[in-house]
Amino acid sequence: KEVPDGAFFDIISFMLVTVFDLQTEEIEEAKADGDNTELDSSDRNILGKDEEIAQAIIRATETANYTSKNLGLLLREVHLDVWSMTEVLRLHLASSGAYRGQSLQNWRYQQRGGYRLLDDPGFQFCRDEPQILNALNTTLVTELSVSDKLKLLHCLMNQCLTFAGIRDEIDVRMDSMFEAQKELRDAVLQENKRIRDQVAEDKREKKEEMEKKKQEFIQQGQEGAEKKEVLTERQKEAMKADEEKKEREKTRKEEIKRSEFLEKEKELQRNILDFQDKTSIHCLGRDRAFRRYWMFDTLPGIYVEHDDDTIGDCLDTPTPWDPEATAPTEEQALEKARDILSRTTSNINPDEVVKTYAKKPVLKQQTIGNNCELENGKGEAKEENGEEHKNGEETKEEVKEKVPPWGRCLEEKDVCPVHSSILPKTTWAVLSTEEQLDQLIDSLNPRGFRESELRDRLISDRENIEFKLKKASKPLAQILKTDETLEAEAEKMLESVSKQRDKNHKYGGAMAMPMGTKMSDIVEISLRDQIIELEEKIYIGTLGNLKVRSRDEWQNAVQVRDYNMGCDQLAWGPEKEHTLSADQLLPETRSNSPTEEDESSNKRASTGSTAAAAAASLVVRQLAAAILQVGQMINDTEKYLKSPLGEDEKDRKKRLKEEEKKKKEKEAEEEEGIICEEPAVVLTPFQKWECSLMSATNIGQLFLHLTTLDNSIVWSKSIMNTKCRICRRKTDPEKMLLCDGCDRGHHIYCLKPKLKSIPQGDWYCSDCKPKERIRSPKKKVRRVFSSVEESEDEEEKTEEDAEPEEEEQEDDDEDYRNIKKKKSKAKKKLIEASPEAPAPKKKKGGIANLLGKRRAAANDGEQKRRGAESSEEEEEVAESGRSRRSGRAKSNQASPELENGKSKSKRRRGELDDDIELQFSVAGLNDLLDGMMGHKDGWPFDHPIKKSVAPDYHKIIKNPMDLGTIKAKLDRLKYSCNQEVLDDIRLMFNNCYQYNRETAEEYGCATRLEKFFNKE
């Protein structure tokens, strides 16, 4: 049996991670991450015409949304370990062929060559092997049979091969292989051309030399009188040496060129074989019995496979075999050659033919037997012509019995060693030494149809094969083991595991499980240990407490494979509408206490698999309740939970908005008389997790929920992981005080002043402590001397800093009025005597305060330009500015009645400023414009319409507008309130409707974008 974290787990987890990574690459390349298109059950273009296949695709789509709906995670984001791998694998297979959005579906159809949902190998696997999928519900994947494991690996491998990235990689390798083959052909052609040119050059040189000698001979004949020059022996030797040197130099150059070509040819052949191995695995060849010979990069040796059921039927007649056939002698060969020559008109020398024929190797009749042992198949008798001894005596060797070679077809299928399905055969064998390789090459028939190709391949790749055999001698020794060796190693391994478990029990406190414990029990015990461990981490970290009567009793019950709820009932879901009492989690014999007659009837009814399934279901329910209690330990989920079970402020607002929308729809339906049973409450991620947890059906799902909870807890806020902000140490967690605002730790003895104990209630550090305004006692009213502008600034400052309470405002106003009454009369006369009182210095408020200094500066510049044009306009602008900001347009000529009602006018002006601020939100408008410009239908409105695109546009549309122009005006502070921006956006839509027809694409984009605009 395979151990849970053995080699098979590594292979499965590696392939699952690879599949998930390839899925992510395709989603990113297709830009389908935000595509939430739902599957239309009536769309037959996607589901097909077969109703059964359509329902299977719908079920796969629902399974694909299980983790995102209940855990807030995609399946590829779920924590993958030894215990959760089986459930993740089951969900992955069950979700194969799921619909994942229109964008991704269209991309796959184009990039995968007409890919459809039912083409997923996992989808076909679920239809062909439903029993394996059902087995993953109750057992670990490591407990499956070897054949089922191979089917799973085969399915995952086929899934990997369907992805566009893998297909592209295969295409690249195929192109590289074709290029290497083309390069090899070009190199061979170039070498052949070079040889032909060299031969032609030699012939030309010889011809020129002959012509030269002929000319010299003719010239000497004409001169006749002259005597032929006689060379000495030394000169002849020197000339001969020069010729030999030239010949050697020529031969050396030829050998260098030939060796370079052979080296290049060898390298190209090696590259071609390498590309072939990386593209697909090919066998080396087949022998006469259709057995395949394999070599693998990760396994040493030559492997012989005899497991092909597709070789066909037996021959009509047995394979011919002549036991008297022997290798021809020289006389027989000469006679055969003369017979051939007598029937031809060729002038070939018979002696040369005899020599050539005699040089051919004698056919060896050695073959590989059924057990992959080399044997003398034809059983030839040794030569009867014995050797002569020194004393002249002749000896005759004994004649062996002639046995036909193995691998012949015998016509009858039941007894045929090649085609029989009844006879025993060795399915796999291995050749691991160089001697066996030599014997294999010698046993293959060089004139056989299949064996000749295998023989040539072995000879050409002999160097690489020998290198692998020498390098992998030790791994082969580990593979080739006898049954006794395997049994001894198994016993040794069990003994070491037992010792390790005893050691863990003695020093680590872990429960030592006896040898032979069922895998289901090991999984259950591991889950219980993780539940207790998580509960202790939450409790010790002061993140929450168990809501039970006795924590020790609850822990002890979980440890001894039992369950004690410790409370009256559990509640979960929205408004705690789902409940579970302690009696519902007790076995039937304990909860119902039946009589003896009932017990006998129950025993008969709940025997076999039904009783086991009921017991397993009860255990799952109990453990789910225990995990629920651990999750509900955390009271402040907003503070101590993060994504995926926690939600931030943005997600919370979105959920509340959706909930409010559902409530309004429900109220509208109720007014119309429609009964709606669906609740209007939108579940939080933690509530979804609770409901999904309590509906779990196997332990694998419980592992997923438990790990999701563990990953969602903000462990940095645990007191075990908190450092003192002052001394930066984690020591003394019992004396660590956490700030209720920032959750940073402080030792009580590190604070100044030191604390003797943990204070009751909320405690805040110096940074988070709310700042209290200390009001100074009322002092004697002093005389204030300042200019008119300073007094006005002081009045405005008093207005802005006024407290919201009515009594404090009245007190401040009274003080201010007293101070103002005591001003000198001379100063007041000076102000009245001035021909024109200068405009009071304005401080930003209302719109100017919202827009900032840039907006205020723009307004001031605009007012100055207007003042230069007309003095009357300057007075109006000044009055309007004073009336908006300070409310003192007539402060110098104000009547006593207006002065007495100043406190009321202050409140009205504050309310007016608040309304103006609410009416203009630059950040919100920017977000709205960015959302519209980033919308898929916002492309026609990103920039102004050019005359080159639509020549008649500006003749029809008098006031063109687009999102780019609106955003630019907003950035340049051309707007003063929200309504102006919204009016320009609606003007843009009206222009589009006025210019375009309803059938135009821009018209449809405007309709959809306007819906988005109204929604936002």
Side-chain angles (χ1 to χ4, degrees):
K1 290 290 184 179
E2 179 76 24
V3 294
D5 55 349
F8 185 70
F9 163 74
D10 295 336
I11 297 173
I12 287 289
S13 59
F14 167 75
M15 299 192 75
L16 279 176
V17 171
T18 303
V19 171
F20 293 155
D21 290 343
L22 292 172
Q23 287 179 351
T24 305
E25 289 179 4
E26 286 195 348
I27 291 174
E28 292 176 353
E29 189 172 351
K31 299 179 180 179
D33 196 9
D35 188 1
N36 298 323
T37 309
E38 296 183 357
L39 177 61
D40 187 3
S41 58
S42 60
D43 190 353
R44 293 301 168 183
N45 293 329
I46 297 175
L47 300 177
K49 298 181 180 179
D50 192 342
E51 186 64 26
E52 183 180 357
I53 293 178
Q55 293 300 322
I57 293 175
I58 293 174
R59 289 194 299 270
T61 305
E62 294 175 354
T63 306
N65 297 328
Y66 172 79
T67 54
S68 59
K69 179 180 178 182
N70 299 312
L71 304 180
L73 296 171
L74 298 176
L75 184 60
R76 60 176 177 268
E77 298 172 348
V78 174
H79 178 69
L80 187 64
D81 58 8
V82 178
W83 312 114
S84 63
M85 184 190 67
T86 300
E87 182 63 18
V88 173
L89 176 62
R90 188 189 70 84
L91 291 174
H92 168 68
L93 293 175
S95 62
S96 297
Y99 177 77
R100 303 180 187 273
Q102 189 63 37
S103 300
L104 184 60
Q105 182 65 23
N106 294 338
W107 187 89
R108 285 179 173 177
Y109 184 84
Q110 296 172 358
Q111 301 296 328
R112 291 192 183 184
Y115 177 84
R116 299 174 299 170
L117 295 178
L118 54 89
D119 294 332
D120 194 321
F123 182 79
Q124 297 295 335
F125 177 82
C126 294
R127 291 174 56 83
D128 297 339
E129 306 290 343
Q131 74 281 358
I132 299 180
L133 208 62
N134 294 331
L136 294 177
N137 259 324
T138 56
T139 60
L140 288 179
V141 66
T142 53
E143 289 189 298
L144 298 178
S145 62
V146 176
S147 60
D148 291 343
K149 291 178 181 178
L150 291 176
K151 290 177 181 178
L152 286 172
L153 294 176
H154 192 260
C155 173
L156 293 175
M157 180 186 65
N158 288 337
Q159 278 189 324
C160 292
L161 293 176
T162 59
F163 287 96
I166 300 297
R167 293 162 63 95
D168 294 341
E169 182 64 23
I170 293 175
D171 292 341
V172 169
R173 294 181 180 182
M174 291 291 291
D175 294 340
S176 300
M177 184 181 67
F178 293 150
E179 290 177 2
Q181 291 176 347
K182 182 178 181 299
E183 189 176 355
L184 177 60
R185 288 195 300 270
D186 294 342
V188 173
L189 292 175
Q190 187 176 359
E191 179 66 15
N192 293 336
K193 183 176 180 299
R194 188 190 67 80
I195 293 175
R196 289 195 300 269
D197 294 343
Q198 186 65 35
V199 172
E201 181 67 20
D202 293 342
K203 290 182 178 180
R204 186 181 63 79
E205 290 178 357
K206 289 182 179 180
K207 187 175 181 181
E208 289 179 356
E209 187 177 355
M210 293 296 294
E211 289 291 336
K212 184 178 179 181
K213 289 181 178 181
K214 185 176 180 181
Q215 292 295 334
E216 290 178 355
F217 179 75
I218 294 173
Q219 186 177 1
Q220 289 177 1
Q222 291 176 355
E223 292 177 356
E226 298 181 2
K227 294 183 180 179
K228 186 176 181 180
E229 184 179 358
V230 179
L231 300 177
T232 62
E233 292 294 331
R234 190 171 182 178
Q235 291 176 340
K236 291 181 179 179
E237 290 178 0
M239 293 178 62
K240 186 177 181 181
D242 291 339
E243 292 178 358
E244 290 179 354
K245 184 177 180 181
K246 292 180 180 179
E247 188 68 24
R248 285 196 304 271
E249 185 67 20
K250 184 178 180 181
T251 306
R252 188 181 65 82
K253 292 181 180 180
E254 180 68 21
E255 288 178 354
I256 291 174
K257 292 181 180 179
R258 186 65 179 173
S259 63
E260 290 177 355
F261 165 73
L262 293 177
E263 187 67 25
K264 184 177 180 181
E265 182 184 26
K266 187 177 180 180
E267 182 181 357
L268 290 174
Q269 289 177 348
R270 191 183 302 111
N271 292 338
I272 292 173
L273 293 176
D274 186 38
F275 287 131
Q276 284 180 349
D277 294 338
K278 291 180 178 179
T279 304
S280 59
I281 301 177
H282 299 279
C283 63
L284 298 175
R286 291 174 178 255
D287 61 7
R288 67 193 69 177
F290 296 95
R291 294 181 298 186
R292 288 186 286 243
Y293 291 77
W294 298 90
M295 279 199 68
F296 307 103
D297 292 336
T298 56
L299 292 175
I302 300 175
Y303 293 85
V304 185
E305 179 191 9
H306 191 191
D307 190 22
D308 192 353
D309 298 331
T310 61
I311 57 178
D313 298 328
C314 290
L315 300 174
D316 296 335
T317 58
T319 303
W321 173 67
D322 186 6
E324 303 297 334
T326 57
T329 60
E330 292 188 4
E331 292 78 7
Q332 293 175 346
L334 181 60
E335 186 65 27
K336 185 68 176 178
R338 288 173 178 170
D339 184 28
I340 294 174
L341 290 173
S342 63
R343 289 176 292 176
T344 60
T345 57
S346 174
N347 295 326
I348 300 176
N349 189 358
D351 296 334
E352 295 180 0
V353 174
V354 172
K355 290 180 182 178
T356 305
Y357 192 84
K359 286 182 181 179
K360 292 210 172 194
V362 178
L363 178 62
K364 298 182 179 180
Q365 301 300 328
Q366 193 178 23
T367 60
I368 301 179
N370 186 23
N371 295 327
C372 204
E373 296 179 356
L374 297 173
E375 57 186 16
N376 197 357
K378 284 192 174 182
E380 294 183 17
K382 292 186 178 180
E383 296 181 0
E384 296 181 358
N385 299 327
E387 297 179 357
E388 295 183 0
H389 295 272
K390 293 181 180 180
N391 54 6
E393 296 180 357
E394 295 182 358
T395 59
K396 294 184 179 181
E397 298 180 355
E398 296 181 359
V399 179
K400 293 184 178 179
E401 183 180 359
K402 297 178 181 180
V403 179
W406 187 89
R408 292 174 58 248
C409 179
L410 302 180
E411 184 182 5
E412 296 181 6
K413 187 173 182 179
D414 294 339
V415 297
C416 179
V418 179
H419 302 89
S420 176
S421 58
I422 302 174
L423 296 177
K425 58 184 177 182
T426 303
T427 306
W428 284 95
V430 61
L431 305 177
S432 58
T433 61
E434 297 183 18
E435 292 77 9
Q436 291 178 340
L437 176 62
D438 294 333
Q439 293 177 4
L440 173 62
I441 295 175
D442 293 340
S443 65
L444 297 174
N445 190 347
R447 292 181 292 180
F449 181 72
R450 292 178 295 275
E451 292 187 355
S452 60
E453 295 181 0
L454 175 60
R455 186 173 182 273
D456 294 340
R457 178 70 182 275
L458 292 175
I459 293 174
S460 62
D461 203 21
R462 181 187 182 92
E463 183 178 354
N464 185 29
I465 295 174
E466 290 180 351
F467 174 75
K468 290 183 177 180
L469 291 177
K470 291 178 181 179
K471 186 178 179 180
S473 58
K474 187 175 181 180
L476 271 177
Q478 296 178 357
I479 295 174
L480 303 176
K481 296 179 181 178
T482 60
D483 295 339
E484 293 79 6
T485 306
L486 293 175
E487 291 177 0
E489 290 182 355
E491 293 179 358
K492 187 177 180 181
M493 185 181 297
L494 291 176
E495 184 178 355
S496 63
V497 171
S498 179
K499 290 181 179 179
Q500 184 65 31
R501 289 180 177 178
D502 294 338
K503 183 178 180 181
N504 294 338
H505 175 63
K506 182 177 180 181
Y507 298 103
M511 185 174 62
M513 290 176 285
M515 300 304 299
T517 305
K518 293 182 180 179
M519 188 60 64
S520 58
D521 296 340
I522 296 176
V523 173
E524 179 187 341
I525 293 171
S526 300
L527 178 59
R528 291 177 181 272
D529 291 342
Q530 292 186 24
I531 293 173
I532 294 175
E533 181 184 358
L534 182 59
E535 188 273 336
E536 288 181 350
K537 288 168 62 179
I538 296 175
Y539 177 76
I540 297 175
T542 66
L543 301 179
N545 296 303
L546 272 176
K547 299 174 179 61
V548 295
R549 287 183 287 270
S550 175
R551 177 171 174 264
D552 294 335
E553 292 180 0
W554 184 89
Q555 283 187 333
N556 293 332
V558 175
Q559 286 178 350
V560 298
R561 301 183 65 181
D562 198 358
Y563 178 69
N564 181 12
M565 184 179 291
C567 57
D568 296 334
Q569 66 177 9
L570 297 177
W572 69 91
E575 300 178 358
K576 305 298 181 181
E577 60 182 14
H578 303 290
T579 58
L580 181 68
S581 62
D583 296 337
Q584 294 176 342
L585 294 179
L586 296 177
E588 294 182 0
T589 55
R590 294 172 58 185
S591 61
N592 298 329
S593 299
T595 60
E596 295 181 359
E597 295 180 359
D598 295 336
E599 287 181 0
S600 61
S601 61
N602 288 336
K603 287 181 180 180
R604 289 192 299 269
S606 61
T607 57
S609 60
T610 306
S617 177
L618 178 62
V619 171
V620 171
R621 293 276 291 171
Q622 290 178 347
L623 294 177
I627 296 174
L628 179 65
Q629 287 181 295
V630 174
Q632 291 180 350
M633 289 176 65
I634 303 175
N635 295 325
D636 194 351
T637 57
E638 296 181 1
K639 185 175 181 180
Y640 296 126
L641 284 185
K642 60 182 180 179
S643 180
L645 298 187
E647 56 180 1
D648 54 12
E649 190 65 25
K650 184 178 180 181
D651 295 335
R652 190 179 299 108
K653 289 182 179 179
K654 184 178 180 181
R655 176 177 58 82
L656 294 176
K657 185 178 180 181
E658 185 178 354
E659 185 175 341
E660 186 67 24
K661 182 180 178 182
K662 284 190 175 182
K663 285 182 179 179
K664 291 181 179 179
E665 292 178 354
K666 186 178 180 180
E667 292 175 358
E669 290 177 353
E670 289 177 353
E671 291 178 358
E672 296 177 359
I674 302 174
I675 300 175
C676 182
E677 298 180 356
E678 183 181 356
V681 179
V682 179
L683 300 181
T684 63
F686 187 75
Q687 290 173 347
K688 292 179 181 178
W689 175 84
E690 290 179 331
C691 297
S692 174
L693 171 66
M694 297 309 294
S695 61
T697 57
N698 57 54
I699 292 183
Q701 295 177 359
L702 299 183
F703 273 110
L704 290 183
H705 287 80
L706 184 63
T707 53
T708 303
L709 174 63
D710 192 356
N711 295 332
S712 299
I713 297 176
V714 185
W715 293 113
S716 60
K717 296 185 178 181
S718 171
I719 197 171
M720 301 303 296
N721 297 323
T722 303
K723 293 181 179 179
C724 177
R725 183 184 172 190
I726 301 173
C727 66
R728 309 302 298 170
R729 296 177 182 174
K730 290 185 179 180
T731 56
D732 296 337
E734 66 277 0
K735 295 183 179 181
M736 187 77 70
L737 183 60
L738 296 182
C739 173
D740 290 300
C742 61
D743 288 314
R744 288 185 290 184
H746 304 74
H747 285 130
I748 58 176
Y749 51 78
C750 292
L751 295 172
K752 293 183 179 180
K754 297 181 181 180
L755 298 180
K756 295 181 179 180
S757 61
I758 302 295
Q760 299 294 330
D762 293 342
W763 180 85
Y764 297 95
C765 64
S766 58
D767 293 343
C768 300
K769 188 176 182 179
K771 296 182 179 180
E772 299 178 358
R773 181 178 178 183
I774 301 175
R775 301 184 64 86
S776 61
K778 291 186 177 181
K779 302 180 178 63
K780 182 179 178 180
V781 179
R782 292 187 298 271
R783 199 178 168 87
V784 179
F785 296 91
S786 62
S787 62
V788 178
E789 290 82 358
E790 292 176 350
S791 64
E792 292 294 335
D793 291 342
E794 185 178 354
E795 288 177 358
E796 292 182 4
K797 184 176 181 181
T798 307
E799 289 176 4
E800 292 175 359
D801 296 338
E803 294 294 329
E805 289 81 1
E806 223 175 282
E807 295 179 358
E808 294 182 1
Q809 286 182 351
E810 291 177 358
D811 294 340
D812 293 342
D813 293 340
E814 187 68 25
D815 295 339
Y816 183 79
R817 285 195 297 271
N818 293 334
I819 295 172
K820 192 171 183 180
K821 287 178 181 179
K822 293 181 180 180
K823 288 183 178 180
S824 63
K825 294 181 180 180
K827 193 171 184 180
K828 187 177 290 186
K829 290 179 180 180
L830 179 63
I831 297 173
E832 292 177 355
S834 61
E836 182 178 358
K841 191 175 182 180
K842 299 185 294 295
K843 186 171 183 179
K844 293 190 297 181
I847 298 175
N849 187 29
L850 176 64
L851 298 180
K853 295 181 180 180
R854 292 178 58 193
R855 179 60 177 170
N859 289 341
D860 293 340
E862 186 177 357
Q863 290 176 2
K864 290 179 180 179
R865 287 193 298 272
R866 291 179 180 177
E869 294 176 358
S870 174
S871 60
E872 295 179 358
E873 293 177 359
E874 181 180 1
E875 293 178 358
E876 294 175 0
V877 171
E879 291 177 359
S880 62
R882 285 193 294 272
S883 63
R884 282 201 313 270
R885 292 176 174 82
S886 63
R888 296 184 178 86
K890 300 178 181 180
S891 60
N892 295 330
Q893 302 174 1
S895 63
E897 295 176 359
L898 293 176
E899 192 172 357
N900 294 332
K902 189 178 295 183
S903 61
K904 295 182 180 179
S905 64
K906 285 181 184 178
R907 288 193 291 271
R908 286 195 297 270
R909 284 195 299 273
E911 294 173 358
L912 179 61
D913 289 345
D914 293 341
D915 293 339
I916 293 175
E917 289 181 6
L918 292 175
Q919 290 176 4
F920 191 71
S921 175
V922 179
L925 293 173
N926 271 321
D927 293 342
L928 175 62
L929 292 175
D930 292 339
M932 294 179 67
M933 295 177 74
H935 195 272
K936 63 179 181 179
D937 295 318
W939 59 269
F941 312 102
D942 287 346
H943 49 78
I945 304 298
K946 296 181 180 178
K947 189 174 181 180
S948 58
V949 178
D952 60 339
Y953 182 81
H954 294 279
K955 296 180 181 180
I956 300 174
I957 303 302
K958 302 303 181 182
N959 297 318
M961 186 57 61
D962 61 276
L963 294 175
T965 302
I966 296 173
K967 188 171 179 62
K969 291 176 65 177
L970 184 62
D971 293 339
R972 292 196 298 267
L973 307 175
K974 296 296 183 180
Y975 295 109
S976 59
C977 63
N978 292 347
Q979 192 60 38
E980 294 180 2
V981 181
L982 301 181
D983 290 343
D984 279 351
I985 294 176
R986 293 190 177 95
L987 174 63
M988 176 189 69
F989 289 129
N990 293 333
N991 291 343
C992 182
Y993 297 146
Q994 181 181 353
Y995 181 77
N996 296 287
R997 298 181 180 178
E998 294 184 1
T999 56
E1001 184 179 4
E1002 291 80 0
Y1003 193 96
C1005 291
T1007 304
R1008 293 187 291 272
L1009 189 61
E1010 188 175 13
K1011 290 181 179 179
F1012 172 78
F1013 166 71
N1014 295 329
K1015 181 180 178 182
E1016 293 294 324

